[in-house]
Amino acid sequence: MKKILIILVLLAGTVGTYAQTVEELKAEMKPKKDSVAAIQSRIKSIQSKIDAMPGWKIGAFGTIGATLSEFNNWYSKGIPNSSAGNIAFTVNSYANLKEDKFFWRNAANVNLSWVKIDDTDDPTDDDSYRQANDVFNITSLYGHRLNKKFAISTLGEYRTTILSNFNDPGYLDLGVGATWTPIEDLVVVVHPLNYNFVFSKGDNVFESSLGAKIVADYTRQLGDISFKTNLSAFQSYKSADFSNWTWTNSFGYTLWKMIGVGFDFGLRKNKQEALNYALNTQTLPDPTPTFDTVDNKLQTYWILGLNYSF
């Protein structure tokens, strides 16, 4: 009985010592956490001062997504023997010059993807990778500062596809107006005098016109998180049928060094493109589509995959 009591006392003492040790370690760790937070705060303050300094700021980030699959004798699906693949990537790069009296901001966005579905039981089907997404956009904005938040500016923006139908259509916006920078990394461009040049073989659908250009761009990196959102809109003075807008978004979270998880999505409306597609794909003997009858659906895309930044 004495032995049992001695063992119980020793166990209680061990538990008490362990609990006391854990509490002591937690108490010791707390000021260190506070020190780390203070250091991180100072680093963030220094980085904000560096970002505010004049000079060039250059960087890039994007998303890479890929899926591969193969089915053999999977009878519950329509094609029991097949292989499929999807490859996609995006690039968001920038080169910005910031000076006291002027700024020059340059950016490029590329979004490309390919897909394939191979029915191994059908030797005549197309087993090659086919184009899916195809987006290419470059912009250059120059501004002469009137004060810290407003500037007189000129903008050039070019949009097209590069895997197929290069410059068919292609859009080139050139205009002048004002730029507003209410906070760091947010740029709002309003150019009431802008000409939208449209290049295309479909001359009966696509038409250049004079109008207003509005662009809002916010690109920021906060620690391991990087993101970019860009809205580019053109409002034609000639006809609303020639107006268009595109909104693209990229998010990235770095998990290890320069690699992480990324998500991209985009929205777009362009009535000229909708009509051109309807005319090229019409097969039924319906009335010929026009600007008044075409269904100008919302264009969308999204990509989820690995993220990179440098």
Side-chain angles (χ1 to χ4, degrees), residues 55-79:
W56 283 98
K57 301 292 188 300
I58 299 174
F61 68 94
T63 302
I64 301 174
T67 59
L68 300 173
S69 63
E70 182 173 346
F71 292 86
N72 294 303
N73 304 318
W74 201 267
Y75 297 116
S76 62
K77 62 192 295 288
I79 306 176

PDB file of all heavy atoms in Angstrom, residues 55-79:
ATOM      1  N   GLY A  55      12.000  56.368 -58.321  1.00  0.00           N
ATOM      2  CA  GLY A  55      12.769  55.364 -59.043  1.00  0.00           C
ATOM      3  C   GLY A  55      11.888  54.280 -59.625  1.00  0.00           C
ATOM      4  O   GLY A  55      10.657  54.342 -59.567  1.00  0.00           O
ATOM      5  N   TRP A  56      12.538  53.291 -60.212  1.00  0.00           N
ATOM      6  CA  TRP A  56      11.835  52.193 -60.877  1.00  0.00           C
ATOM      7  C   TRP A  56      11.417  51.128 -59.874  1.00  0.00           C
ATOM      8  O   TRP A  56      12.155  50.797 -58.954  1.00  0.00           O
ATOM      9  CB  TRP A  56      12.729  51.562 -61.934  1.00  0.00           C
ATOM     10  CG  TRP A  56      12.841  52.357 -63.207  1.00  0.00           C
ATOM     11  CD1 TRP A  56      13.846  53.208 -63.549  1.00  0.00           C
ATOM     12  CD2 TRP A  56      11.903  52.359 -64.284  1.00  0.00           C
ATOM     13  NE1 TRP A  56      13.606  53.748 -64.786  1.00  0.00           N
ATOM     14  CE2 TRP A  56      12.415  53.245 -65.268  1.00  0.00           C
ATOM     15  CE3 TRP A  56      10.690  51.721 -64.523  1.00  0.00           C
ATOM     16  CZ2 TRP A  56      11.751  53.495 -66.465  1.00  0.00           C
ATOM     17  CZ3 TRP A  56      10.023  51.964 -65.712  1.00  0.00           C
ATOM     18  CH2 TRP A  56      10.549  52.845 -66.670  1.00  0.00           C
ATOM     19  N   LYS A  57      10.230  50.583 -60.082  1.00  0.00           N
ATOM     20  CA  LYS A  57       9.747  49.423 -59.353  1.00  0.00           C
ATOM     21  C   LYS A  57       9.340  48.371 -60.398  1.00  0.00           C
ATOM     22  O   LYS A  57       8.470  48.631 -61.244  1.00  0.00           O
ATOM     23  CB  LYS A  57       8.541  49.774 -58.476  1.00  0.00           C
ATOM     24  CG  LYS A  57       8.812  50.864 -57.436  1.00  0.00           C
ATOM     25  CD  LYS A  57       9.759  50.401 -56.374  1.00  0.00           C
ATOM     26  CE  LYS A  57       9.866  51.425 -55.245  1.00  0.00           C
ATOM     27  NZ  LYS A  57      10.354  52.742 -55.681  1.00  0.00           N
ATOM     28  N   ILE A  58       9.986  47.210 -60.349  1.00  0.00           N
ATOM     29  CA  ILE A  58       9.768  46.176 -61.357  1.00  0.00           C
ATOM     30  C   ILE A  58       9.409  44.869 -60.654  1.00  0.00           C
ATOM     31  O   ILE A  58      10.019  44.513 -59.637  1.00  0.00           O
ATOM     32  CB  ILE A  58      11.019  45.979 -62.234  1.00  0.00           C
ATOM     33  CG1 ILE A  58      11.358  47.278 -62.970  1.00  0.00           C
ATOM     34  CG2 ILE A  58      10.808  44.852 -63.244  1.00  0.00           C
ATOM     35  CD1 ILE A  58      12.657  47.217 -63.745  1.00  0.00           C
ATOM     36  N   GLY A  59       8.428  44.147 -61.191  1.00  0.00           N
ATOM     37  CA  GLY A  59       8.045  42.871 -60.601  1.00  0.00           C
ATOM     38  C   GLY A  59       7.102  42.093 -61.489  1.00  0.00           C
ATOM     39  O   GLY A  59       6.630  42.587 -62.524  1.00  0.00           O
ATOM     40  N   ALA A  60       6.820  40.859 -61.081  1.00  0.00           N
ATOM     41  CA  ALA A  60       5.904  40.002 -61.840  1.00  0.00           C
ATOM     42  C   ALA A  60       5.375  38.902 -60.933  1.00  0.00           C
ATOM     43  O   ALA A  60       6.056  38.466 -60.008  1.00  0.00           O
ATOM     44  CB  ALA A  60       6.596  39.398 -63.054  1.00  0.00           C
ATOM     45  N   PHE A  61       4.155  38.471 -61.187  1.00  0.00           N
ATOM     46  CA  PHE A  61       3.593  37.308 -60.517  1.00  0.00           C
ATOM     47  C   PHE A  61       2.515  36.726 -61.421  1.00  0.00           C
ATOM     48  O   PHE A  61       2.056  37.357 -62.368  1.00  0.00           O
ATOM     49  CB  PHE A  61       3.025  37.660 -59.142  1.00  0.00           C
ATOM     50  CG  PHE A  61       1.800  38.533 -59.169  1.00  0.00           C
ATOM     51  CD1 PHE A  61       0.533  37.990 -59.127  1.00  0.00           C
ATOM     52  CD2 PHE A  61       1.920  39.925 -59.231  1.00  0.00           C
ATOM     53  CE1 PHE A  61      -0.590  38.796 -59.158  1.00  0.00           C
ATOM     54  CE2 PHE A  61       0.805  40.732 -59.249  1.00  0.00           C
ATOM     55  CZ  PHE A  61      -0.449  40.174 -59.211  1.00  0.00           C
ATOM     56  N   GLY A  62       2.128  35.494 -61.143  1.00  0.00           N
ATOM     57  CA  GLY A  62       1.129  34.850 -61.993  1.00  0.00           C
ATOM     58  C   GLY A  62       0.717  33.515 -61.437  1.00  0.00           C
ATOM     59  O   GLY A  62       1.070  33.140 -60.316  1.00  0.00           O
ATOM     60  N   THR A  63      -0.030  32.755 -62.247  1.00  0.00           N
ATOM     61  CA  THR A  63      -0.578  31.465 -61.846  1.00  0.00           C
ATOM     62  C   THR A  63      -0.311  30.434 -62.915  1.00  0.00           C
ATOM     63  O   THR A  63      -0.433  30.710 -64.110  1.00  0.00           O
ATOM     64  CB  THR A  63      -2.099  31.570 -61.601  1.00  0.00           C
ATOM     65  OG1 THR A  63      -2.347  32.559 -60.602  1.00  0.00           O
ATOM     66  CG2 THR A  63      -2.674  30.239 -61.144  1.00  0.00           C
ATOM     67  N   ILE A  64       0.065  29.234 -62.472  1.00  0.00           N
ATOM     68  CA  ILE A  64       0.253  28.101 -63.373  1.00  0.00           C
ATOM     69  C   ILE A  64      -0.687  26.992 -62.932  1.00  0.00           C
ATOM     70  O   ILE A  64      -0.654  26.581 -61.767  1.00  0.00           O
ATOM     71  CB  ILE A  64       1.706  27.593 -63.357  1.00  0.00           C
ATOM     72  CG1 ILE A  64       2.671  28.702 -63.778  1.00  0.00           C
ATOM     73  CG2 ILE A  64       1.857  26.382 -64.260  1.00  0.00           C
ATOM     74  CD1 ILE A  64       4.127  28.310 -63.655  1.00  0.00           C
ATOM     75  N   GLY A  65      -1.519  26.522 -63.848  1.00  0.00           N
ATOM     76  CA  GLY A  65      -2.454  25.449 -63.527  1.00  0.00           C
ATOM     77  C   GLY A  65      -2.354  24.326 -64.535  1.00  0.00           C
ATOM     78  O   GLY A  65      -2.223  24.557 -65.740  1.00  0.00           O
ATOM     79  N   ALA A  66      -2.385  23.083 -64.056  1.00  0.00           N
ATOM     80  CA  ALA A  66      -2.295  21.928 -64.953  1.00  0.00           C
ATOM     81  C   ALA A  66      -3.021  20.740 -64.338  1.00  0.00           C
ATOM     82  O   ALA A  66      -2.888  20.481 -63.138  1.00  0.00           O
ATOM     83  CB  ALA A  66      -0.847  21.561 -65.240  1.00  0.00           C
ATOM     84  N   THR A  67      -3.801  20.030 -65.147  1.00  0.00           N
ATOM     85  CA  THR A  67      -4.457  18.795 -64.713  1.00  0.00           C
ATOM     86  C   THR A  67      -4.319  17.746 -65.804  1.00  0.00           C
ATOM     87  O   THR A  67      -4.451  18.055 -67.001  1.00  0.00           O
ATOM     88  CB  THR A  67      -5.957  19.011 -64.418  1.00  0.00           C
ATOM     89  OG1 THR A  67      -6.606  19.499 -65.609  1.00  0.00           O
ATOM     90  CG2 THR A  67      -6.157  20.011 -63.299  1.00  0.00           C
ATOM     91  N   LEU A  68      -4.032  16.521 -65.413  1.00  0.00           N
ATOM     92  CA  LEU A  68      -3.931  15.399 -66.334  1.00  0.00           C
ATOM     93  C   LEU A  68      -4.754  14.252 -65.774  1.00  0.00           C
ATOM     94  O   LEU A  68      -4.729  14.002 -64.560  1.00  0.00           O
ATOM     95  CB  LEU A  68      -2.470  14.961 -66.511  1.00  0.00           C
ATOM     96  CG  LEU A  68      -1.502  15.998 -67.067  1.00  0.00           C
ATOM     97  CD1 LEU A  68      -0.080  15.462 -67.017  1.00  0.00           C
ATOM     98  CD2 LEU A  68      -1.871  16.373 -68.491  1.00  0.00           C
ATOM     99  N   SER A  69      -5.479  13.550 -66.628  1.00  0.00           N
ATOM    100  CA  SER A  69      -6.296  12.421 -66.173  1.00  0.00           C
ATOM    101  C   SER A  69      -6.372  11.354 -67.252  1.00  0.00           C
ATOM    102  O   SER A  69      -6.211  11.636 -68.447  1.00  0.00           O
ATOM    103  CB  SER A  69      -7.708  12.885 -65.792  1.00  0.00           C
ATOM    104  OG  SER A  69      -8.387  13.407 -66.922  1.00  0.00           O
ATOM    105  N   GLU A  70      -6.616  10.112 -66.802  1.00  0.00           N
ATOM    106  CA  GLU A  70      -6.767   8.995 -67.738  1.00  0.00           C
ATOM    107  C   GLU A  70      -7.777   8.012 -67.177  1.00  0.00           C
ATOM    108  O   GLU A  70      -7.764   7.702 -65.974  1.00  0.00           O
ATOM    109  CB  GLU A  70      -5.421   8.298 -67.965  1.00  0.00           C
ATOM    110  CG  GLU A  70      -5.516   7.164 -68.976  1.00  0.00           C
ATOM    111  CD  GLU A  70      -4.164   6.569 -69.333  1.00  0.00           C
ATOM    112  OE1 GLU A  70      -3.141   7.205 -69.009  1.00  0.00           O
ATOM    113  OE2 GLU A  70      -4.136   5.483 -69.924  1.00  0.00           O
ATOM    114  N   PHE A  71      -8.679   7.517 -68.038  1.00  0.00           N
ATOM    115  CA  PHE A  71      -9.698   6.547 -67.653  1.00  0.00           C
ATOM    116  C   PHE A  71      -9.570   5.309 -68.543  1.00  0.00           C
ATOM    117  O   PHE A  71      -9.422   5.429 -69.760  1.00  0.00           O
ATOM    118  CB  PHE A  71     -11.101   7.132 -67.807  1.00  0.00           C
ATOM    119  CG  PHE A  71     -11.408   8.239 -66.841  1.00  0.00           C
ATOM    120  CD1 PHE A  71     -11.069   9.553 -67.126  1.00  0.00           C
ATOM    121  CD2 PHE A  71     -12.049   7.960 -65.639  1.00  0.00           C
ATOM    122  CE1 PHE A  71     -11.355  10.572 -66.241  1.00  0.00           C
ATOM    123  CE2 PHE A  71     -12.345   8.980 -64.749  1.00  0.00           C
ATOM    124  CZ  PHE A  71     -11.999  10.283 -65.043  1.00  0.00           C
ATOM    125  N   ASN A  72      -9.638   4.125 -67.910  1.00  0.00           N
ATOM    126  CA  ASN A  72      -9.605   2.866 -68.633  1.00  0.00           C
ATOM    127  C   ASN A  72     -10.789   2.011 -68.193  1.00  0.00           C
ATOM    128  O   ASN A  72     -10.926   1.696 -66.999  1.00  0.00           O
ATOM    129  CB  ASN A  72      -8.291   2.113 -68.361  1.00  0.00           C
ATOM    130  CG  ASN A  72      -7.088   2.839 -68.915  1.00  0.00           C
ATOM    131  OD1 ASN A  72      -7.026   3.116 -70.106  1.00  0.00           O
ATOM    132  ND2 ASN A  72      -6.131   3.161 -68.055  1.00  0.00           N
ATOM    133  N   ASN A  73     -11.637   1.653 -69.143  1.00  0.00           N
ATOM    134  CA  ASN A  73     -12.812   0.809 -68.894  1.00  0.00           C
ATOM    135  C   ASN A  73     -13.717   1.382 -67.802  1.00  0.00           C
ATOM    136  O   ASN A  73     -14.296   0.653 -67.000  1.00  0.00           O
ATOM    137  CB  ASN A  73     -12.375  -0.614 -68.500  1.00  0.00           C
ATOM    138  CG  ASN A  73     -11.485  -1.237 -69.544  1.00  0.00           C
ATOM    139  OD1 ASN A  73     -11.739  -1.107 -70.751  1.00  0.00           O
ATOM    140  ND2 ASN A  73     -10.440  -1.923 -69.101  1.00  0.00           N
ATOM    141  N   TRP A  74     -13.824   2.714 -67.773  1.00  0.00           N
ATOM    142  CA  TRP A  74     -14.695   3.381 -66.796  1.00  0.00           C
ATOM    143  C   TRP A  74     -16.063   3.530 -67.455  1.00  0.00           C
ATOM    144  O   TRP A  74     -16.402   4.543 -68.005  1.00  0.00           O
ATOM    145  CB  TRP A  74     -14.116   4.733 -66.406  1.00  0.00           C
ATOM    146  CG  TRP A  74     -14.635   5.247 -65.102  1.00  0.00           C
ATOM    147  CD1 TRP A  74     -15.693   6.072 -64.926  1.00  0.00           C
ATOM    148  CD2 TRP A  74     -14.128   4.953 -63.806  1.00  0.00           C
ATOM    149  NE1 TRP A  74     -15.885   6.330 -63.606  1.00  0.00           N
ATOM    150  CE2 TRP A  74     -14.932   5.653 -62.878  1.00  0.00           C
ATOM    151  CE3 TRP A  74     -13.078   4.167 -63.318  1.00  0.00           C
ATOM    152  CZ2 TRP A  74     -14.720   5.586 -61.506  1.00  0.00           C
ATOM    153  CZ3 TRP A  74     -12.865   4.110 -61.960  1.00  0.00           C
ATOM    154  CH2 TRP A  74     -13.682   4.808 -61.072  1.00  0.00           C
ATOM    155  N   TYR A  75     -16.876   2.483 -67.318  1.00  0.00           N
ATOM    156  CA  TYR A  75     -18.085   2.365 -68.123  1.00  0.00           C
ATOM    157  C   TYR A  75     -19.192   3.326 -67.716  1.00  0.00           C
ATOM    158  O   TYR A  75     -20.143   3.531 -68.475  1.00  0.00           O
ATOM    159  CB  TYR A  75     -18.601   0.928 -68.061  1.00  0.00           C
ATOM    160  CG  TYR A  75     -17.631  -0.066 -68.652  1.00  0.00           C
ATOM    161  CD1 TYR A  75     -17.054  -1.054 -67.854  1.00  0.00           C
ATOM    162  CD2 TYR A  75     -17.273   0.006 -69.995  1.00  0.00           C
ATOM    163  CE1 TYR A  75     -16.153  -1.947 -68.379  1.00  0.00           C
ATOM    164  CE2 TYR A  75     -16.372  -0.897 -70.534  1.00  0.00           C
ATOM    165  CZ  TYR A  75     -15.807  -1.876 -69.724  1.00  0.00           C
ATOM    166  OH  TYR A  75     -14.904  -2.743 -70.248  1.00  0.00           O
ATOM    167  N   SER A  76     -19.110   3.914 -66.518  1.00  0.00           N
ATOM    168  CA  SER A  76     -20.176   4.819 -66.090  1.00  0.00           C
ATOM    169  C   SER A  76     -20.126   6.153 -66.822  1.00  0.00           C
ATOM    170  O   SER A  76     -21.085   6.923 -66.768  1.00  0.00           O
ATOM    171  CB  SER A  76     -20.084   5.069 -64.577  1.00  0.00           C
ATOM    172  OG  SER A  76     -18.859   5.701 -64.254  1.00  0.00           O
ATOM    173  N   LYS A  77     -19.017   6.454 -67.502  1.00  0.00           N
ATOM    174  CA  LYS A  77     -18.938   7.693 -68.282  1.00  0.00           C
ATOM    175  C   LYS A  77     -19.119   7.393 -69.757  1.00  0.00           C
ATOM    176  O   LYS A  77     -18.986   6.257 -70.210  1.00  0.00           O
ATOM    177  CB  LYS A  77     -17.615   8.425 -68.033  1.00  0.00           C
ATOM    178  CG  LYS A  77     -16.373   7.658 -68.440  1.00  0.00           C
ATOM    179  CD  LYS A  77     -15.092   8.312 -67.894  1.00  0.00           C
ATOM    180  CE  LYS A  77     -14.836   9.664 -68.475  1.00  0.00           C
ATOM    181  NZ  LYS A  77     -14.416   9.619 -69.872  1.00  0.00           N
ATOM    182  N   GLY A  78     -19.470   8.421 -70.515  1.00  0.00           N
ATOM    183  CA  GLY A  78     -19.787   8.226 -71.931  1.00  0.00           C
ATOM    184  C   GLY A  78     -18.619   7.710 -72.746  1.00  0.00           C
ATOM    185  O   GLY A  78     -18.804   6.967 -73.718  1.00  0.00           O
ATOM    186  N   ILE A  79     -17.394   8.106 -72.390  1.00  0.00           N
ATOM    187  CA  ILE A  79     -16.191   7.654 -73.088  1.00  0.00           C
ATOM    188  C   ILE A  79     -15.365   6.870 -72.065  1.00  0.00           C
ATOM    189  O   ILE A  79     -14.600   7.458 -71.296  1.00  0.00           O
ATOM    190  CB  ILE A  79     -15.380   8.843 -73.648  1.00  0.00           C
ATOM    191  CG1 ILE A  79     -16.273   9.725 -74.524  1.00  0.00           C
ATOM    192  CG2 ILE A  79     -14.176   8.360 -74.432  1.00  0.00           C
ATOM    193  CD1 ILE A  79     -15.575  10.977 -75.032  1.00  0.00           C
TER     194      ILE A  79
END
